Amino acid sequence: MQSKFRGVFLTCDDAEVTADFYRDVAGVPLEAVSSHEYTYWMLDIDGVQIALHDAKAFADYSYPPNPASNLTHLYFRIPDLEAFLDHVQSVGAPLVEVDDVVVTLEDPDGRKVMFGTA
C-alpha cells in the first residue's frame, strides 16, 4: 500500500480570524466549509488541501493550541520583498523578523509564517 499526501491542517483558537489573516496577507482564497459539527476554512488544489480548523472542535489533543511549538513552518514564495513589506504594513500584520530573503510574520494563533523570495 502506498499513501498519498492529502494536506496540511492547522488548528486555531478562532479559525475564521486566522482564515482572514491568510486571505488578507498571503492572498490564499480559503473558503468556509460547513460540516455537521462546525465550520472550517480550506483550499483544495489538485487533491491537496490546506485547512484551518477550530482547535477545540478538531480533536481533544489539539486544544488548547500551543503557539510556542516550532515543529511546523509555513512558507510562501513572494516575488518582491519590499512590495510585500509595504503590503504587510498596510494590513497591519505582526512582523517578527526580516532578512534579505525572508519576512517572518505571526498569524493570529502565534504561528511564525515565512514569506520569502527563494
Side-chain angles (χ1 to χ4, degrees):
M1 182 187 119
Q2 183 176 353
S3 62
K4 180 180 177 184
F5 183 70
R6 175 65 174 125
V8 176
F9 299 160
L10 304 180
T11 53
C12 313
D13 267 330
D14 187 330
E16 184 172 10
V17 169
T18 304
D20 288 343
F21 171 87
Y22 285 100
R23 276 194 298 267
D24 293 346
V25 174
V28 177
L30 295 159
E31 295 182 10
V33 176
S34 293
S35 72
H36 61 280
E37 295 177 14
Y38 65 97
T39 299
Y40 64 97
W41 284 258
M42 72 95 152
L43 171 66
D44 194 304
I45 300 172
D46 297 328
V48 176
Q49 186 180 103
I50 181 167
L52 309 178
H53 291 268
D54 176 84
K56 197 168 192 174
F58 187 73
D60 289 342
Y61 63 80
S62 65
Y63 188 81
N66 181 7
S69 173
N70 62 356
L71 298 177
T72 302
H73 299 272
L74 297 178
Y75 181 83
F76 294 86
R77 188 162 192 275
I78 55 173
D80 182 311
L81 191 86
E82 291 303 320
F84 183 73
L85 283 170
D86 289 343
H87 174 67
V88 166
Q89 185 175 20
S90 74
V91 298
L95 188 60
V96 174
E97 189 173 324
V98 178
D99 65 27
D100 57 337
V101 175
V102 176
V103 174
T104 303
L105 303 177
E106 184 172 287
D107 80 5
D109 294 297
R111 273 182 290 273
K112 306 311 181 263
V113 184
M114 301 179 303
F115 297 82
T117 57

